[in-house]
């Protein structure tokens, strides 16, 4: 259900479609066919007799992608035990107020939640005053949803607090760390991918079970997302403030790249699975529908800027990738590359040509003091040997020429303080980003997994000896990163879970790093 599309919001502009990398153009017909469900027009018949004996809002509420005059609101109606609602279109109302008691309601609306979209609700709000908190709720089937808090972006700001999270495996961890995040009162929660995991790891300890096989179709992915949304701490974090999300690989299938996949399935076959996963993702996330409805393929890269203080470019480094370097046809696995010349080929891309141009234009036109680039996988070089010939294929090292283009764009005079924000590797890192002549360009901050197992011992080799540009790394702790940004500095507090086996564990600082405006280097506090 979409109530309204905000006009001139800076989020839905750009191309009417997205571009598939040149090495898989011949599979475009398969992609278009598989994505047809995202653009389908739902039925309009309202099920006036629908009733529910259970809480239709059992998956919670959320807000996201804030702008100076609005945001997007989300919920999904479900039946008993979080199962799909067995009903036609359902009438839904929403209310937005300037106080949590709803004494002063400033916006109301009504629409329908459709079964073709899993009775998911997306409300794009525009026309509100800037820089204010708002509270919202939904009404449907005789029930009222929990109250969530959203906010519009101020036009002028002296501070911003962001919570960076990544990698939350349902079976490997409880999500109690979100209590520490909510207590920090961030302006935004930035989720950098692997919001869900599609696969189990039977050799690792479990604290709870998926209770279902690995999803491969739309029903399966919807079920997995709904399971995650039942976690009370995750729900509380979604209610607390707006989220900005992007996907990585586990939202579809581990290590996939474009249409290449671990099983080597033909692109036309894997495209159907990917399309199902994409649809379920958009149905369960507070993302503006104008990014995906009516497009040949959903667009997730976008700008979510914060006043005049920080630009935030959110990337998609999965959908448009070239096939992995030095790999068999249609196969994508994160493997160690040894002297693989293809990894540096100028034709290879992790972003796709259209997204590359979009980011380049964004950086060329930068007007804010802080330039944040949010994306999924390890960006800086990560050499596994002293000769600097061995890397991992799934990171930007497998697409080195594309990284060079981004780094070059960050040297433009308009860009004063570029910071890359990353996840994926279940460990904490702070990296220098240098040019080919060794000149300082910016920094990368990598957050560990919010709830997932640490990497195997020795996975990254002798990090300090092989990678002098890496300022800090910790491959044993899980947690999140708190970013505090003001006019003069950016500070990153790496927050670790004290006892990962305890759902109510305390969370404390593992270490903090600060970069002063103009320094292009992070120093440990």
């Amino acid at each position: 259900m979409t109530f309204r599309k905000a006009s001139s919001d800076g989020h839905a502009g750009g191309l009417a479609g997205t571009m598939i990398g040149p090495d898989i153009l011949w599979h475009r017909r398969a992609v278009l066919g598989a994505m047809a469900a995202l653009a389908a027009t739902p039925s309009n018949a309202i099920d006036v007799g629908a009733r529910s004996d259970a809480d239709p809002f059992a998956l919670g509420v959320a807000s996201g992608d804030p702008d100076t005059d609005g945001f997007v609101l989300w919920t999904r109606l479900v039946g008993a035990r979080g199962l799909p609602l067995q009903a036609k279109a359902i009438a839904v109302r929403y209310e937005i107020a300037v106080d949590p008691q709803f004494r002063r309601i400033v916006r109301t609306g009504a629409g329908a939640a459709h079964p073709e979209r899993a009775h998911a609700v997306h409300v794009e709000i525009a026309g509100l005053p800037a820089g204010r908190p708002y509270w919202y709720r939904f009404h449907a089937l005789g029930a009222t949803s929990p109250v969530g808090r959203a906010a519009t972006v101020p036009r002028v700001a002296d501070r911003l607090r962001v919570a960076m999270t990544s990698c939350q495996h349902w079976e490997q961890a409880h999500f109690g760390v979100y209590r520490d995040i909510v207590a920090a009162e961030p302006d935004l929660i930035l989720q950098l991918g692997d919001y869900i995991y599609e696969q189990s790891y039977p050799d690792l300890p479990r604290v709870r079970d998926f209770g279902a096989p690995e999803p491969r179709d739309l029903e399966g992915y919807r079920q997995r997302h709904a399971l995650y949304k039942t976690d009370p701490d995750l729900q509380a974090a979604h209610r607390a403030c707006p989220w900005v999300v992007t996907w990585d690989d586990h939202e579809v299938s581990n290590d996939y790249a474009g249409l290449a996949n671990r099983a080597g399935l033909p692109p036309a076959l894997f495209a159907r699975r990917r399309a199902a996963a994409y649809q379920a993702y958009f149905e369960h996330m507070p993302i503006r529908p104008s990014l995906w409805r009516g497009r040949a393929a959903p667009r997730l890269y976008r700008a979510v800027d914060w006043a005049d203080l920080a630009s935030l470019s959110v990337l998609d480094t999965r959908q448009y990738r070239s096939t992995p370097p030095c790999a068999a046809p249609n196969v994508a696995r994160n493997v160690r590359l040894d002297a693989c010349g293809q990894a540096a080929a100028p034709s290879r891309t992790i972003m796709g040509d259209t997204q590359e141009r979009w980011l380049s234009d964004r950086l060329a036109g930068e007007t804010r003091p802080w330039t944040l680039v949010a994306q999924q996988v390890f960006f800086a070089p990560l050499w596994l040997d002293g000769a600097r010939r061995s890397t991992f294929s799934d990171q930007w090292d497998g697409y080195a020429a594309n990284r060079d283009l981004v780094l070059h764009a960050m040297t433009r005079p308009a860009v004063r303080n570029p910071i890359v924000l990353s996840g994926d590797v279940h460990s904490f890192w702070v990296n220098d980003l240098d040019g080919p002549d060794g000149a300082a360009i910016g920094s990368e901050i990598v957050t560990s997994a919010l709830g997932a197992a640490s990497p195997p011992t020795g996975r990254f080799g002798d990090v300090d000896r092989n990678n002098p540009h890496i300022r800090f790394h910790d491959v044993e702790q899980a947690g999140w990163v708190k970013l505090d940004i003001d006019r003069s500095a950016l500070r990153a507090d790496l927050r670790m879970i004290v006892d990962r086996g305890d759902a109510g564990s305390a969370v404390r600082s593992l270490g903090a790093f600060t970069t002063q405006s103009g320094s292009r280097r992070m120093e440990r506090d």
Side-chain angles (χ1 to χ4, degrees):
M1 171 175 84
T2 306
F3 288 88
R4 179 178 179 185
K5 176 182 179 297
S7 59
S8 303
D9 58 22
H11 294 266
L15 300 178
T18 48
M19 180 175 177
I20 298 173
D23 55 340
I24 54 173
L25 274 173
W26 56 85
H27 302 307
R28 183 169 180 82
R29 180 173 298 176
V31 175
L32 291 175
M35 295 309 301
L38 286 172
T41 301
S43 60
N44 294 317
I46 299 295
D47 194 340
V48 295
R51 298 290 184 270
S52 177
D53 295 329
D55 178 10
F57 299 105
L59 304 188
V61 299
S63 69
D65 285 7
D67 202 347
T68 52
D69 73 337
F71 34 75
V72 62
L73 303 179
W74 171 91
T75 191
R76 179 191 164 195
L77 307 181
V78 293
R81 301 182 303 281
L83 295 174
L85 192 65
Q86 300 302 310
K88 298 178 182 177
I90 301 296
V92 183
R93 295 185 298 114
Y94 72 89
E95 296 174 318
I96 300 173
V98 295
D99 63 287
Q101 294 78 32
F102 287 80
R103 288 188 291 260
R104 185 183 169 198
I105 296 173
V106 296
R107 185 70 62 86
T108 62
H114 299 277
E116 294 89 343
R117 291 166 183 160
H119 293 100
V121 176
H122 290 81
V123 187
E124 286 196 72
I125 299 297
L128 296 175
R132 295 199 57 171
Y134 293 90
W135 287 262
Y136 62 93
R137 63 189 178 189
F138 296 93
H139 304 277
L141 296 171
T144 299
S145 75
V147 173
R149 180 187 178 277
T152 50
V153 176
R155 297 191 181 280
V156 177
D158 292 324
R159 58 165 298 277
L160 168 64
R161 174 169 289 177
V162 177
M164 287 174 57
T165 78
S166 177
C167 302
Q168 47 192 36
H169 198 294
W170 177 270
E171 293 187 330
Q172 295 175 10
H174 296 286
F175 300 155
V177 69
Y178 276 116
R179 301 172 202 171
D180 190 57
I181 293 176
V182 171
E185 298 183 343
D187 298 296
L188 295 173
I189 294 177
L190 176 62
Q191 212 284 331
L192 294 171
D194 295 343
Y195 183 99
I196 66 165
Y197 276 73
E198 87 292 13
Q199 65 180 112
S200 293
Y201 292 85
D203 296 334
L204 294 175
R206 299 184 186 184
V207 300
R208 51 188 175 179
D209 294 324
F210 284 136
E214 181 175 332
R216 299 181 184 277
D217 56 17
L218 182 56
E219 181 182 358
Y221 283 108
R222 283 172 170 172
Q223 182 180 0
R224 185 58 49 88
H225 276 280
L227 176 67
Y228 269 70
K229 285 294 199 294
T230 63
D231 185 278
D233 293 308
L234 181 56
Q235 283 195 10
H238 274 297
R239 292 195 303 268
C241 69
W243 283 51
V244 177
V245 302
T246 188
W247 53 38
D248 195 23
D249 53 343
H250 286 287
E251 287 86 355
V252 181
S253 178
N254 189 22
D255 295 342
Y256 87 94
L259 291 175
N261 56 92
R262 290 179 66 85
L265 297 175
L269 183 60
F270 184 72
R272 290 195 288 272
R273 177 176 179 178
R274 193 184 76 167
Y278 283 4
Q279 179 170 344
Y281 183 85
F282 276 93
E283 288 173 347
H284 289 84
M285 294 295 163
I287 303 170
R288 294 175 181 268
S290 49
L291 287 169
W292 56 289
R293 295 272 172 82
R295 294 178 180 270
R299 170 176 160 173
L300 193 54
Y301 67 86
R302 63 205 188 279
V304 187
D305 299 326
W306 193 262
D308 60 342
L309 180 63
S311 68
L312 176 59
S313 300
V314 184
L315 305 188
D316 173 358
T317 65
R318 284 292 165 187
Q319 184 174 185
Y320 314 109
R321 287 187 182 210
S322 302
T323 53
C326 298
N330 302 329
V331 174
R333 296 187 177 208
N334 186 23
V335 298
R336 178 174 174 140
L337 300 174
D338 291 299
C340 172
Q342 292 180 14
S347 62
R348 296 185 47 71
T349 179
I350 197 172
M351 297 172 62
D353 293 342
T354 302
Q355 186 176 195
E356 285 178 17
R357 289 193 297 271
W358 172 83
L359 180 61
S360 179
D361 291 345
R362 288 263 298 160
L363 297 177
E366 179 65 278
T367 59
R368 298 169 176 86
W370 295 98
T371 301
L372 309 179
V373 178
Q375 56 89 49
Q376 298 78 4
V377 296
F378 208 97
F379 183 82
L382 180 53
W383 301 109
L384 306 177
D385 66 329
R388 299 189 179 185
R389 294 167 59 86
S390 297
T391 61
F392 282 121
S393 62
D394 193 58
Q395 301 170 176
W396 283 75
D397 281 327
Y399 305 84
N402 199 162
R403 177 174 58 205
D404 290 343
L405 290 175
V406 174
L407 287 172
H408 178 71
M410 289 178 175
T411 65
R412 290 174 173 155
V415 182
R416 288 169 276 173
N417 299 290
I419 307 289
V420 176
L421 307 176
S422 312
D424 179 60
V425 289
H426 298 200
S427 42
F428 290 107
W429 304 72
V430 178
N431 307 322
D432 293 339
L433 301 178
D434 301 329
D437 58 355
I441 293 176
S443 299
E444 177 183 22
I445 302 166
V446 183
T447 185
S448 188
L450 180 132
S454 297
T457 302
R459 176 172 177 77
F460 303 109
D462 190 336
V463 172
D464 295 326
R465 182 172 65 88
N466 300 333
N467 300 276
H469 58 283
I470 291 178
R471 297 234 159 184
F472 174 84
H473 69 282
D474 183 291
V475 299
E476 297 179 354
Q477 308 302 329
W480 64 287
V481 174
K482 180 173 67 172
L483 297 179
D484 282 301
I485 305 169
D486 60 28
R487 295 282 170 180
S488 62
L490 178 150
R491 183 175 188 268
D493 182 8
L494 314 184
R495 308 279 298 168
M496 59 164 281
I497 305 167
V498 174
D499 182 357
R500 292 165 66 171
D502 179 4
S505 172
V507 180
R508 65 172 177 82
S509 179
L510 176 65
F513 292 78
T514 299
T515 178
Q516 302 295 325
S517 181
S519 73
R520 296 183 181 257
R521 285 287 188 251
M522 300 206 74
E523 303 292 344
R524 187 156 190 172
D525 292 357

